[in-house]
Amino acid sequence: MPNEDTMALARLVLAGGPVLPRRRLLERWRSPVAAIAAGARAWREEGLDAVQTARLQGDDIPPALARTQHWLQVSGHHLLGWHDADYPAQLRAMSSPPLALFVDGDPTLLWRPAVAIVGSRSPTSGGRDNAHYFARTLASAGIVVISGMARGIDAAAHEAALAAGSGTTVAVVGTGPDIAYPPTHDRLRDRLAIQGAVVSEHPPGTPAVRSHFPARNRILAGLALGTLVIEAAEQSGALITARQAGEAGREVFAVPGSIHNPRARGCHRLIRDGAALVEDPREVVDALVHLAADLADALRARLGEAESGVIAGPGETPLRLDADYQRLWDALGHDPTGMDQLVSRTGLTAAELSSMLLVMELDGLVTAEHGRYQRKTGFFTSTASLTQAEGQ
């Protein structure tokens, strides 16, 4: 059963209307329960309009709230609010971030280094092959592939990342998290929820609405360190995602195509406007190192990491770690080690280890594959790891 704070947040989401006043309300009162309890005067002071106020004042449980409550009772379903420490730091830095995110799957993926791969809904065979190649290689190298679950390039990117293993891809959708759109992607949606995550700012049961899709593109751009466009016409929605990524200071990449291919003209326009022309996944990874380091800093801040003690291997830059991190480092070897073994060796819980391992992955000290962890020299950009990924 979702707790009182989660249901209060759901009520704030379902109040609808402008997001900024509701974000300010959460910032002022620090929790959804306190924000709801503050009353109509406080709501109006923060700019909520009459419709929003009326919806928050109602004592009844509307069907949409009951549906959301039922959805949240299912294991693996989450609601992350603006006030929540687990709200993705990357997205928080965007303009117009959503009040909350409904997540079906693993919410920790929203804190991992990620690349958004977007493009045409009707790609050429070559475009589809490029999407497979970039997504498979990036996912195998430890980067989460984010896309919109649409036909064409989106679906190809998700499928290729899923083939690389669990925890490799996230879908950001313009419907509720429980709705497959297009409907033919119902099996893909289910696989994404089991092996990755499906994310939406809209509550469960929300159908496809045309205006939702350009808006969801800002979430795509906001969760990713960079956006890669593979085949896009000049009026493609992928260009909206790329523009929003650029405005947020994220990297924008474009794969060039034939001058005779109308689906390549959007990519060529991006390149003329300053996007990086890329022909190989190594170029994408190399460009993201500094942004991934910023993400690691944000995650350490979230976890409240204390800096004491230093670990370093041959040729490595020393990294300051507290005693628990040092214990975990000592428990890791150069051979893959499962979570059960790490729990036994360190005495820490699986939940504690998961957060710590994520920080160490972002710092380039640990690599993960199929739920097993091992020490890693250097960052995830090593040529060796990419070469191995390409051969899979």
Side-chain angles (χ1 to χ4, degrees), residues 10 21 47 122-123 128 170 207 210 232 246 251 289 304 311 322-323 328 348 373:
S122 54
R128 195 180 299 274
V170 170
R210 188 181 182 88
E251 299 290 343
V289 175
I311 63 172
D322 67 14
L328 173 55
L348 299 168
Y373 302 86

Side-chain angles (χ1 to χ4, degrees), residues 75-101:
S75 176
H77 292 180
H78 310 270
L79 179 57
L80 303 179
W82 176 253
H83 66 295
D84 197 316
D86 287 334
Y87 190 98
Q90 293 285 102
L91 189 58
R92 195 181 290 276
M94 292 289 286
S95 62
S96 303
L99 182 69
L101 295 173

Side-chain angles (χ1 to χ4, degrees), residues 363-383:
D363 280 324
L365 291 170
V366 171
T367 184
E369 186 173 354
H370 305 303
R372 299 171 69 82
Y373 302 86
Q374 65 189 82
R375 293 183 185 185
K376 179 180 180 181
T377 301
F379 201 65
F380 60 75
T381 56
S382 68
T383 301

